[in-house]
Structure formats: structure tokens, C-alpha cells
Amino acid sequence: MKNANPFSECFLSQNKYLLYLRKEYLFVILCIISGLLFFFELGGRSFEFRDVPRYAEMAREMLHSGSWMVTKFHGHIYMSKPPMLMWLIAIFSSVGNQVTPLTARLPNALGGFAGVLMTYYFTQKFSTKRIAFLSAVILTTCQKYFWHGREARTDMLFTVFVMFALYFFYLGYKEKRGFYIGFYLALVFATLTKGPLGIIFAFSIIAVYLALQRDLKAFKTMKWRWGGIIFITLLGAWVSIFCLKVGIKPLLFTVKNEFITRVNNPISHAEPIYYYFVKIWTDFAPWSFFIPLACIYAYKKWREGNSHLTFISCWLVVIFVFLFAAKAKCTRYMIPLFPALSILVANLINDTYENIILSPRWLTSVTRWVILILAVIAAAAVVAVPSYLLKPLWTGIIVSTLIIPILIKSFLHFRKKGRLLKVSLAFVILITTIGWLIFLDQLTKESNRRSFGPKLVSTVKEESASWNDYTIRGYKLDRSVWNIVNMNLNISTPKIESVEELNQFMASVEIKPICIIEKIVFDKIKDDVLNDSLKAIDVYAKKHPLVVLTRK
């Protein structure tokens, strides 16, 4: 028996790899684009203010206290959101035993990336690879979707679980009933992320869709026994443990307050009735121009009896009606709409490419014009950006001037070849991706210039070789500042509430004290606090400068 030639085996394996890339090049391109948008400099931006560090702080307390079933925020039980996001952040952070900007954002980034890949897989099941690619790439490049994949909030994770639930339902309905198990698992995870809203969304969409299909009896085939087992085992276990530790009344009150009150009489996020009609244009950018055309297209496809697009349309309409009717409104609440909207826009564009006669007939020509207009806007951005980024200014102007004839020549070439429309869309996708990456890079640099976190860490390290030897406190810190202090120092910093308490703390001989104070607050009390034995070190930042007070 002849020995196999290792060189021929290597050649064959490389050949198979090249054949796969050639066959699945759209999927490879999609992975590159979405990978860049979700993971490029993911941990480079420091912790932001408002809600973002709140979830990270709860995960830090969970990791350090070992209390995984009952979420706590600054030592108090937190009931506004279930613990799924905090669990995932804590799991990723357990490797280094510290919550970092990277580990705090990683669950949503992975979730958003998985949602894009699942959109591709789901769409190609019922259409072509080109429509699947367009659906997924539109989703990953729309502003609100990819941005919330880079934040430590619950909305992206909730969207992905709802998306998976709806995809698995449709796969179970059309192909194998085993997919229904994935449907129930996804709903449990959605509930553990943001409460029962995911269940309401999913079953409302399914009910409307099956009613339009005149197939309500399909409810009987949805493996309810397996669903009950999954809900009781996973969701029921957490609810039982939580109620044993906290009680059922606080849980019921929270569900009522977070859901019913927000819908009917919200304490926050109360916006006018037209709010979403205005905000969706920026949130779905740059694909917003297609929204009216996609709605008309979806209506016509429903009238034609297209089962797949009818399901997608039900998804879009039911969630939008619910959000529209609720008095509490916020732009991030719309994210669950975007997978369905992306699929509709992709089908519209594909039918335009294929010269399929659409009704009304002007829909095709207007779609073509929208693609060309977006390409012109992208070209204008390509010309303008060098003047903004390159220094000195004259260098950028020269580069911009050289780009103009290249763009004009490319336009004339592809128009002559009859490929202008396809190239225009590819150009829009490319420039949109590059534009978002430039935006992320500039935002990261500006955020780190404004943030006090890294500077605070370096200042405290200079004063204390070992933090365990020092006692660190914060004086009247605002909650958002307090969160970021805790996250960066990786400790729970107790607060001091009075000048007398601050003086006693700094004068104590039993400890080595360090106190962190906002600069604006310190300027008001420094005459009552500062003496010859103490020194105040400024931590400069554009936003919320601090003072580290310590002994000389």
C-alpha cells in the first residue's frame, strides 16, 4: 500500500477550503462585517454613565458576593429586571474576577452576532442566499441594532431571544416539530432577561399569523408538554428560589409596576403618540428610506398569499402596534422590529434586482432610485471624510480631490456594464461599515478623554501599592459616578454622607484612608476638610472631574 503524499493532502485540503469560500463567500463577507461591527474596540471605550454601568455593577456584586439567584445593587435587592444579563456578565468576568468594559459588553455583542447569523440561516431556508445575506447585512449595519450589541443593557439580549423564538416557531411549523423545543427555550431566556413581555410578543404574533393562515389548530401541535417541562424546570426553578428568598408579593408588585404601569401610566419614558414614527428614521439608518416601500411591498405580498412574508409582516405589525399603544416609549424598545424589517427590505431589493414585476409598478423604479441616492450619499461621505480625518487640512483636501475623478470614472464604467445597481448597493454596504467603524474609533477616543475611570485607577495605585491596605470611601457620590468608581476599582465603595463623618474618617489612626470626591463637591467643602496633614489630588476629566483625598 502506497503512503499518502502529505503535499497532495495539503493541496486537497486547501482546495476544499477555497471551494467552500467560493461557494459561501456571502456568508464569509457577512461574518467579517458583523464581526467588525460588534467586536472592533469593544472593550476600548470606558464605562459610560446612566444605565450601562448599573448592570455591570450588579454583575460585579453578584460575582463577589456569590448571590446569583437574587440580584443586588449597592447591597439592596434589585427587582426591575431578571438576572440573565447579569449572570452572563458575571460568567465572562469570572475569568479575571473583575468586570471590565469588555466582559460587560461581551454578552450582547455575542448575542447580536448570533442574531445576525441566525437571520441568515433562517432566511436562506425559505428564499435564496442573496436575500439571506441582504437581510443579515441590513440588520447588522442598521444603527440601533449594532450599537446596542455594544452596550451592557438588556434590550439586545431580549431582542435576540425573541428573534430566536419566532424563528424556531416558524421552522417548527413549516419543517420539523422538534424546533418547538428551541422556541420554548428561547422564550424562557427572554423572560429571564426582561420579564414576560417576550412571551406576550411571541404568542400574539403567532396567533395573528395562524389566524390569517386559517390554521389555528396548529396550536395543538406545538409540543406543549415539552414547553411546560422547560418552563417549570428553568423559569420555575429561578422563580421558586427567588420567592423563597424575597417573597412572592415583591415579585408580583414588580411585574405589575414594570409592565402594566409602564403601559398605562409610566413614571418615565412617557413620549407623544407619534414618537416612533419620528425615531425609526434614525434608528434604522441608513436603510430608513426603504421603510415606506417595504410596508407597501409587505401588504402586497400578504394579499398574494406569501406565507413566509406574511409571518414576517405579522411580526413587524404586532410589535409596532403594541409599542405604539404603550405610553412608555423609548427608541431601544423598537429593536425587536428590526430583524423583520430587514428581511422585508432585503426581499424588496432582491425583487428589484430580479426585475420581478411588483405591484404597484412604480415600486421597482422608486426602489432603484433609493439605492442610487444612498450610493450618492455614500460617495459624498467618501469625499468629505478625508478632509475631516487627515491632518493637516490641505492633505485631506488633496485626497478628497483625487477621489472625485475615481468615483466618476467608476460610475460611468459600471453604468456602461449594466451593473450600476448591484455595485451601488455593495458600495453602500461597504461605506456604511467603514463609516460605523470610523465612528466607533472616534467615539472611543473621545470617551476615554472624557472618562475619569482609568485616571482614577492610576491615581489610587500611585497612592496605595496594595489597595487591601487602604480603606477607600466616597463622599456624597452621585449614583452614576459611584457605579463607575466601583467598577474601575473593583470594590464596593461605601459612601460618606456628612463633613463630620469625612473628617473623622480622614483623621482615623487605625486605617489608611482614601476618599474620592467629585471636584465640584470638594470645592464647596475643602475649607472645612483640608488641613496640613492631608493632600488633594485632582483626577482630570472633561466630565465629572474628581479629587482623591489622602494623607501626606
Side-chain angles (χ1 to χ4, degrees):
M1 184 176 178
K2 294 182 178 180
N3 293 328
N5 190 333
F7 294 103
S8 63
E9 289 182 359
C10 181
F11 176 77
L12 287 173
S13 62
Q14 288 181 351
N15 200 29
K16 288 180 181 178
Y17 180 69
L18 291 173
L19 287 173
Y20 174 80
L21 289 179
R22 192 173 295 176
K23 182 181 178 181
E24 301 292 342
Y25 72 97
L26 289 177
F27 179 74
V28 173
I29 293 171
L30 174 65
C31 289
I32 293 171
I33 291 174
S34 56
L36 286 171
L37 288 177
F38 284 115
F39 300 109
F40 172 69
E41 291 190 351
L42 183 62
R45 197 171 76 255
S46 59
F47 286 111
E48 306 108 302
F49 292 89
R50 299 185 182 179
D51 287 346
V52 176
R54 176 178 58 174
Y55 297 107
E57 169 63 14
M58 287 187 283
R60 190 194 65 80
E61 292 188 33
M62 181 182 290
L63 185 64
H64 288 187
S65 68
S67 177
W68 288 71
M69 290 295 112
V70 179
T71 311
K72 292 184 179 180
F73 185 42
H74 297 312
H76 301 286
I77 294 173
Y78 181 86
M79 299 185 63
S80 293
K81 294 290 185 296
M84 177 59 77
L85 176 60
M86 287 70 85
W87 282 345
L88 293 175
I89 294 174
I91 289 170
F92 284 116
S93 303
S94 62
V95 177
N97 201 36
Q98 180 175 1
V99 179
T100 66
L102 176 62
T103 60
R105 298 187 180 107
L106 200 54
N108 276 338
L110 291 171
F113 185 73
V116 169
L117 299 187
M118 186 62 183
T119 298
Y120 178 88
Y121 169 79
F122 172 78
T123 308
Q124 76 162 350
K125 279 275 189 179
F126 304 100
S127 53
T128 65
K129 287 184 179 180
R130 182 164 69 183
I131 295 176
F133 170 77
L134 287 175
S135 301
V137 84
I138 288 170
L139 179 62
T140 197
T141 53
C142 76
Q143 183 263 334
K144 189 63 72 174
Y145 184 87
F146 95 83
W147 176 252
H148 273 270
R150 302 177 62 89
E151 283 200 333
R153 296 180 189 266
T154 56
D155 301 274
M156 172 55 75
L157 213 57
F158 173 75
T159 295
V160 171
F161 289 137
V162 171
M163 184 196 315
F164 271 56
L166 293 170
Y167 287 161
F168 281 130
F169 159 77
Y170 196 76
L171 288 167
Y173 177 67
K174 289 291 185 180
E175 295 191 345
K176 296 180 181 178
R177 293 179 184 176
F179 282 110
Y180 285 135
I181 296 174
F183 166 74
Y184 292 116
L185 281 171
L187 281 187
V188 168
F189 294 147
T191 305
L192 286 171
T193 302
K194 210 173 180 180
L197 187 60
I199 298 174
I200 296 170
F201 278 173
F203 280 103
S204 298
I205 293 165
I206 292 167
V208 171
Y209 171 69
L210 293 179
L212 290 175
Q213 298 298 110
R214 299 178 181 178
D215 191 19
L216 288 174
K217 64 181 180 181
F219 271 117
K220 297 179 181 179
T221 67
M222 288 180 61
K223 290 188 176 292
W224 292 100
R225 184 178 299 175
W226 276 103
I229 293 172
I230 290 169
F231 268 80
I232 292 170
T233 304
L234 299 179
L235 187 59
W238 174 75
V239 171
S240 300
I241 295 172
F242 186 88
C243 289
L244 285 173
K245 291 180 175 290
V246 178
I248 192 169
K249 287 185 178 180
L251 180 64
L252 294 175
F253 175 80
T254 302
V255 172
K256 174 182 176 294
N257 187 59
E258 287 294 312
F259 180 66
I260 300 174
T261 305
R262 279 178 179 266
V263 172
N264 295 316
N265 188 25
I267 299 173
S268 61
H269 299 306
E271 300 291 348
I273 196 168
Y274 56 81
Y275 178 79
Y276 289 122
F277 289 102
V278 175
K279 290 296 183 179
I280 197 168
W281 297 98
T282 55
D283 290 353
F284 198 60
W287 311 104
S288 314
F289 294 101
F290 292 102
I291 292 175
L293 306 175
C295 292
I296 297 170
Y297 174 81
Y299 173 74
K300 294 297 182 181
K301 288 297 178 181
W302 167 66
R303 293 294 300 270
E304 293 173 8
N306 187 309
S307 176
H308 175 60
L309 293 183
T310 297
F311 175 70
I312 299 301
S313 300
C314 290
W315 177 346
L316 183 67
V317 172
V318 169
I319 294 182
F320 187 81
V321 167
F322 182 88
L323 297 178
F324 179 79
K327 292 183 179 179
K329 294 177 170 63
C330 184
T331 56
R332 63 179 184 269
Y333 296 168
M334 282 194 295
I335 303 176
L337 296 172
F338 293 156
L341 194 52
S342 299
I343 293 172
L344 287 176
V345 171
N347 277 271
L348 170 65
I349 292 173
N350 182 75
D351 285 2
T352 302
Y353 279 160
E354 299 293 340
N355 289 317
I356 296 173
I357 298 175
L358 301 176
S359 177
R361 291 183 178 273
W362 55 262
L363 202 57
T364 300
S365 59
V366 174
T367 303
R368 289 175 181 271
W369 275 108
V370 169
I371 294 171
L372 294 175
I373 289 169
L374 285 176
V376 170
I377 295 172
V382 170
V383 173
V385 166
S387 299
Y388 170 74
L389 291 180
L390 298 179
K391 304 297 179 187
L393 180 61
W394 61 266
T395 307
I397 293 174
I398 291 174
V399 173
S400 297
T401 305
L402 294 174
I403 289 174
I404 293 173
I406 296 173
L407 291 173
I408 293 173
K409 188 172 181 180
S410 300
F411 168 78
L412 296 174
H413 171 75
F414 289 116
R415 188 178 68 170
K416 184 178 179 181
K417 294 286 186 180
R419 299 172 59 191
L420 183 60
L421 198 65
K422 293 182 179 180
V423 172
S424 294
L425 185 64
F427 181 68
V428 170
I429 293 170
L430 175 64
I431 299 306
T432 299
T433 304
I434 294 173
W436 288 138
L437 293 176
I438 292 173
F439 167 75
L440 291 171
D441 179 66
Q442 295 297 306
L443 183 67
T444 299
K445 292 176 181 176
E446 178 60 23
S447 173
N448 290 334
R449 281 195 292 266
R450 293 168 62 87
S451 176
F452 63 80
K455 299 170 187 175
L456 174 64
V457 171
S458 63
T459 301
V460 173
K461 280 184 175 179
E462 288 176 5
E463 295 302 315
S464 54
S466 174
W467 295 1
N468 295 327
D469 297 336
Y470 283 75
T471 303
I472 302 176
R473 297 285 187 271
Y475 177 77
K476 288 187 175 181
L477 293 175
D478 178 78
R479 190 176 73 173
S480 60
V481 177
W482 191 17
N483 289 340
I484 297 177
V485 168
N486 288 344
M487 298 307 304
N488 281 275
L489 296 181
N490 195 29
I491 59 173
S492 295
T493 310
K495 282 202 293 186
I496 295 173
E497 298 293 347
S498 67
V499 173
E500 292 77 13
E501 188 182 352
L502 175 59
N503 284 325
Q504 290 176 6
F505 172 69
M506 297 305 300
S508 175
V509 296
E510 299 175 355
I511 59 173
K512 298 178 180 179
I514 289 178
C515 189
I516 300 165
I517 311 171
E518 288 186 69
K519 176 69 173 174
I520 190 172
V521 176
F522 179 75
D523 289 341
K524 295 177 181 178
I525 65 168
K526 64 180 179 181
D527 293 336
D528 300 323
V529 175
L530 203 59
N531 56 50
D532 294 338
S533 65
L534 302 178
K535 62 179 177 179
I537 306 169
D538 289 327
V539 179
Y540 293 103
K542 285 187 176 181
K543 192 172 184 179
H544 293 289
L546 301 179
V547 171
V548 174
L549 190 63
T550 185
R551 289 180 185 154
K552 291 182 179 178

